[in-house]
Amino acid sequence: MVLGQVFVFLTALAVVGLMSVDIIVFPECGLTGCNYWDRNYVIEEVAEIIPSPDSGVVPCKKKSYTQRNSMYVAVNLYEKFIELDNQNDTNLHNKSNDILLYNTNIVFDRFGRLIARYRKFNLYAERTHLGVNSTKEPEFSIFTTDFGVTFGIIICFDIIFKQPVYGLLYEKNVSALIFSGAIYSQLPFLVVPSLVSGWSYSMNTTVLFSDMPVKKGSVGGSGIFMGKSDPLRLIMEEHYDSKILISKVPKPVSSANLPSLEEKTHENEKSNFCDSMFIADEKLDYYTYQSISQNLTHKCNNLLMNSFNHTNENYTCTIRAVWQINSITNQSEYKFLSYAGERNFSTASINNYVEVCGLTLCHKSPNGGCLEPPIFEDAFSITMIHIDIFSVSTVDAIVIPSTLNSSLHPLSVKNFRFSKSKTRIGNHENIIVHMNLIEPVSNLITFGFYKLPEVSNPDPASYHSRNTTELN
């Protein structure tokens, strides 16, 4: 572990311990660093052997910070698991025994007992760069607190894919998620707070999300997301400075009508879009684009209207928009865009099928694409956007609304409506998604939807353990 980070964690525990906090969530790689691209990084030097939660063990003999501050603590670290060829063999250094390395979240209760452990299923760069293993099947790790909330646990890349989140929500019936991440943002549809907020909205699930920028210059973000309501806390982060987000969180309810939440404190934690560094979606070159001002269908006084349609064999994206030009700009323009096809989400060269449909602000460029981040000039007011998509994708695919304003925050849920339904045509069930902007917005960056991939297709080689002779 990085001693400096241990001190940061202990300081955070001491600070929140004075505020009667019930649970604290730390980010992925917070104790160890991600170090995916550091060739001198030796993961075995920071990996720990973690007992089974069934043992009820209290790892710290002395009174721990968890006990002293009487809170639940979720922390991420690398786990070293020794797989015994002979289950009666207690010699951990037996050369015939194998070692598995996992990216793992663990949870302690108020008494310092280890009560939950989750091994990350959907690996990112730690698979190819650090030799971290994934489990053969996703684990559904849950724990129930003394304040009556049952949490599921996921890590970073898990949010992109269908499992284990579907199993947690629909098999284990969890009402909230602990989510540790080290995620960077991708324009235009996968900016971190927008991604997590849209996922929380679509699945109507409370998410306690703690994020750390995966590398310098990348833009991350943390927050407390409340399903169909606006986030309670939200912050964008592109530095390694530590911040603590604290809020009183209503207990999750099963109804889609969550209580009205008045405590919105992310408004004073704004970031400047133009000053932030972003990575573009690698498939942007393959998107179908159309400028909203191309071939205008209607003009009335100072209001402009246009439409867009993109269809392939299994997918149709239709968009209508109404807007007003406040000032002339030569820097940026809004574009309709659509994509249905494969893209790569990791360094493992694994392609996954996604669908995208929406409108985004683009930097004006000769190639007509959106690879360069736009320069926001407050030159437009978007009055209305209506999006319809028809897809033959699996009906239980995760489709999220993706919205972003120039403060790097998702739009308020009061600004839009989003719904997903299914219909049957012949022998096939299909999904229909409707998304509408219902309140005018003058600082819009992105508005649309993103259908997330269903499987991560983990490389079977990642299951393979490494013999201890390789680690000595």
Side-chain angles (χ1 to χ4, degrees):
M1 296 184 185
V2 181
L3 291 180
Q5 289 302 107
V6 173
F7 175 77
V8 171
F9 275 39
L10 295 179
T11 301
L13 288 171
V15 169
V16 300
L18 301 175
M19 304 178 184
S20 301
V21 167
D22 289 303
I23 186 167
I24 184 170
V25 182
F26 288 103
E28 181 186 25
C29 303
L31 280 175
T32 59
C34 288
N35 301 302
Y36 295 152
W37 297 273
D38 184 353
R39 294 184 178 181
N40 297 318
Y41 185 73
V42 182
I43 186 175
E44 292 80 17
E45 293 181 356
V46 298
E48 301 280 350
I49 295 176
I50 300 173
S52 168
D54 295 334
S55 65
V57 67
V58 179
C60 299
K61 300 300 180 183
K62 295 182 179 180
K63 195 170 185 180
S64 67
Y65 271 74
T66 298
Q67 293 169 288
R68 265 181 270 174
N69 297 297
S70 186
M71 73 182 78
Y72 291 83
V73 176
V75 65
N76 175 266
L77 42 73
Y78 290 121
E79 176 190 2
K80 178 163 52 179
F81 177 75
I82 300 180
E83 191 173 51
L84 303 179
D85 285 351
N86 180 352
Q87 294 303 312
N88 295 320
D89 182 4
T90 58
N91 180 12
L92 299 184
H93 299 286
N94 188 326
K95 298 298 182 183
S96 66
N97 294 330
D98 286 328
I99 287 183
L100 297 170
L101 296 169
Y102 294 110
N103 182 342
T104 301
N105 263 24
I106 56 177
V107 179
F108 300 96
D109 68 9
R110 298 185 194 273
F111 305 100
R113 289 187 298 245
L114 179 64
I115 59 170
R117 178 187 65 199
Y118 168 67
R119 293 161 174 164
K120 184 179 177 183
F121 180 63
N122 298 290
L123 300 180
Y124 182 63
E126 68 266 49
R127 178 204 308 279
T128 52
H129 289 66
L130 301 179
V132 173
N133 304 99
S134 62
T135 55
K136 292 184 179 181
E137 298 292 336
E139 296 180 341
F140 303 132
S141 181
I142 65 174
F143 64 98
T144 301
T145 62
D146 57 11
F147 48 89
V149 177
T150 298
F151 287 94
I153 307 172
I154 61 173
I155 302 172
C156 196
F157 214 30
D158 290 324
I159 197 76
I160 295 292
F161 301 99
K162 187 173 176 180
Q163 293 292 4
V165 293
Y166 245 73
L168 290 170
L169 297 181
Y170 297 110
E171 294 178 30
K172 300 299 181 181
N173 297 314
V174 304
S175 52
L177 288 180
I178 296 294
F179 180 24
S180 299
I183 309 178
Y184 60 86
S185 295
Q186 288 187 353
L187 283 173
F189 290 100
L190 296 179
V191 176
V192 174
S194 176
L195 165 65
V196 183
S197 179
W199 190 97
S200 174
Y201 181 98
S202 179
M203 307 304 286
N204 194 23
T205 301
T206 297
V207 181
L208 309 185
F209 175 48
S210 180
D211 185 40
M212 184 182 80
V214 68
K215 56 185 177 180
K216 290 183 179 179
S218 61
V219 180
S222 300
I224 301 171
F225 299 91
M226 298 300 299
K228 302 294 185 185
S229 294
D230 288 332
L232 280 179
R233 299 296 305 271
L234 173 61
I235 191 169
M236 286 292 293
E237 189 62 66
E238 55 185 311
H239 307 288
Y240 285 93
D241 299 336
S242 297
K243 291 182 173 62
I244 301 173
L245 304 182
I246 300 176
S247 183
K248 185 176 181 180
V249 183
K251 288 184 181 180
V253 293
S254 57
S255 169
N257 298 313
L258 289 171
S260 177
L261 305 173
E262 298 301 327
E263 183 185 357
K264 306 291 192 305
T265 53
H266 61 273
E267 289 302 319
N268 60 356
E269 296 164 355
K270 293 182 179 180
S271 301
N272 189 323
F273 182 86
C274 298
D275 293 338
S276 299
M277 297 178 61
F278 287 98
I279 298 173
D281 182 338
E282 62 159 26
K283 284 293 184 179
L284 274 179
D285 270 347
Y286 298 88
Y287 279 36
T288 298
Y289 294 95
Q290 177 187 310
S291 170
I292 62 169
S293 59
Q294 177 181 327
N295 301 322
L296 288 175
T297 58
H298 188 71
K299 183 176 181 180
C300 179
N301 296 326
N302 60 343
L303 289 179
L304 305 174
M305 179 184 297
N306 209 350
S307 61
F308 168 82
N309 182 271
H310 173 228
T311 301
N312 65 19
E313 182 179 357
N314 300 314
Y315 160 87
T316 298
C317 162
T318 303
I319 311 173
R320 298 191 302 275
V322 178
W323 71 99
Q324 174 181 317
I325 298 177
N326 301 326
S327 60
I328 301 300
T329 173
N330 295 315
Q331 299 290 329
S332 301
E333 64 177 338
Y334 284 103
K335 291 184 179 181
F336 302 117
L337 67 170
S338 173
Y339 178 72
E342 292 188 336
R343 67 152 292 176
N344 183 275
F345 279 97
S346 72
T347 58
S349 299
I350 300 169
N351 288 323
N352 301 96
Y353 180 79
V354 300
E355 294 172 352
V356 186
C357 177
L359 177 146
T360 191
L361 187 67
C362 297
H363 182 80
K364 283 187 177 179
S365 60
N367 64 15
C370 283
L371 289 177
E372 295 182 49
I375 298 174
F376 182 75
E377 298 178 299
D378 194 19
F380 304 90
S381 292
I382 305 296
T383 303
M384 183 276 287
I385 306 173
H386 182 90
I387 300 175
D388 295 308
I389 71 106
F390 174 87
S391 173
V392 298
S393 298
T394 306
V395 294
D396 57 358
I398 299 177
V399 183
I400 66 171
S402 178
T403 66
L404 187 72
N405 63 26
S406 61
S407 296
L408 300 180
H409 294 151
L411 298 186
S412 168
V413 297
K414 298 176 182 178
N415 287 117
F416 68 93
R417 293 288 181 267
F418 178 89
S419 65
K420 186 183 85 168
S421 59
K422 62 182 179 180
T423 184
R424 178 174 291 277
I425 299 178
N427 296 324
H428 299 282
E429 282 192 327
N430 308 283
I431 60 173
I432 298 175
V433 178
H434 302 290
M435 187 171 178
N436 299 291
L437 181 72
I438 57 175
E439 295 285 344
V441 177
S442 60
N443 63 342
L444 186 69
I445 300 296
T446 296
F447 187 90
F449 89 91
Y450 204 105
K451 187 197 84 68
L452 298 172
E454 296 183 43
V455 293
S456 57
N457 299 319
D459 180 1
S462 68
Y463 307 145
H464 297 168
S465 55
R466 297 183 291 175
N467 193 275
T468 52
T469 55
E470 300 178 33
L471 301 176
N472 290 340

